[in-house]
Amino acid sequence: MGYPVGDAGLLRLGELFPTPARVRMPCLLLYGVSGAGKSMLLEKFQRDNNALCERRSGRRPIVTAQMPPVPLVRSLYGEIIRSLDAAVSPTMRLHELECTAIAMLRHAAPRMLVIDEIQHLLCCTTRDQRAALNAIKFLANQLRISIVVAGTHESLHVMRFDPQIASRIEQIELPIWNESDDLRRFIAGYLGLLPVRRAPAAINKQFVEYLLELTDGVTGRVIDVLRRAAGQAIADRTRRVGLDQLQYVGARLPTIIGQRT
Ligand SMILES: Nc1ncnc2c1ncn2[C@@H]1O[C@H](COP(=O)(O)OP(=O)(O)O)[C@@H](O)[C@H]1O
Ligand SMILES: [Mg+2]
């Protein structure tokens, strides 16, 4: 589902994408709470752009990896190699991993390296943090590619920790929703994809306020609650999502959340 803040993020990524190779390549941080839609946005961006590239050539305009939960440099290189569909042997030394990652990236010739879950860097010592950030910078400099990282608000601290990265990093926040026409359009758009009747009048102020109360305005939870409300609208045979269906879901939500976490 598109929405203005997400579209603005996609637009900015699209602008960075064709940046010609230069010594100091740009760096962008996409941040927001867990469930804000960061990974989904990056996935869409990658899907749209990689689709344009011929598959057989082995080239990949965008390479995406996740910062491993134990964010050591060797596991970061391992993730990058795996994201390029190659196997990593546990006996490979750091130097081998680094050479393999660089050789594979050279072959894939991306213009952008995306690293998601960058806040995992907070789980390691300052020394390992610095090593991982240096590895990212090293790759960007060697390959002259833009770096895009995504993570929670804590990522802001981690990225500012490196003066070189801090001086060139641009930040985009994917914020939580507040009551707005954008949100009403997002709700209506999503319900329009589900097998329920269109009922714009039901998406009134009370509905939106209660939805925000249930979800704290987090995109992933908004989607989840709307899907459950639509399920209820089908079960109660009204096929119409309104405050009643939302209240039904809301009354059962604590156990659902409890089960999930
Ligand atoms: N633009 C969107 N359209 C539809 N659903 C979305 C959108 N963004 C996020 N979601 C929903 O929210 C969930 C969490 O999004 P995700 O991208 O994983 O969040 P984050 O990476 O910020 O933690 C997704 O699994 C999806 O169900
Ligand atoms: Mg994510």
Side-chain angles (χ1 to χ4, degrees), residues 33-40 42 66 116-117 119 150-151:
V33 295
S34 173
K38 305 177 293 294
S39 302
M40 195 158 250
L42 291 170
Q66 271 197 20
D116 201 354
E117 309 291 358
Q119 77 280 354

Side-chain angles (χ1 to χ4, degrees), residues 103-171:
M104 291 193 66
L105 283 170
R106 283 232 158 88
H107 180 68
R111 281 191 272 167
M112 197 177 259
L113 174 65
V114 179
I115 302 177
D116 201 354
E117 309 291 358
I118 195 81
Q119 77 280 354
H120 284 164
L121 275 182
L122 287 169
C123 303
C124 62
T125 62
T126 322
R127 192 163 154 264
D128 287 336
Q129 251 175 36
R130 196 168 293 159
L133 287 177
N134 280 341
I136 295 172
K137 269 196 303 192
F138 176 70
L139 289 177
N141 293 339
Q142 284 280 310
L143 301 150
R144 304 267 171 95
I145 47 179
S146 317
I147 298 281
V148 173
V149 295
T152 54
H153 289 77
E154 292 86 36
S155 326
L156 285 165
H157 304 297
V158 195
M159 300 313 281
R160 280 188 198 135
F161 180 74
D162 182 292
Q164 263 174 302
I165 293 183
S167 69
R168 62 170 137 156
I169 197 160
E170 178 183 327
Q171 296 155 14

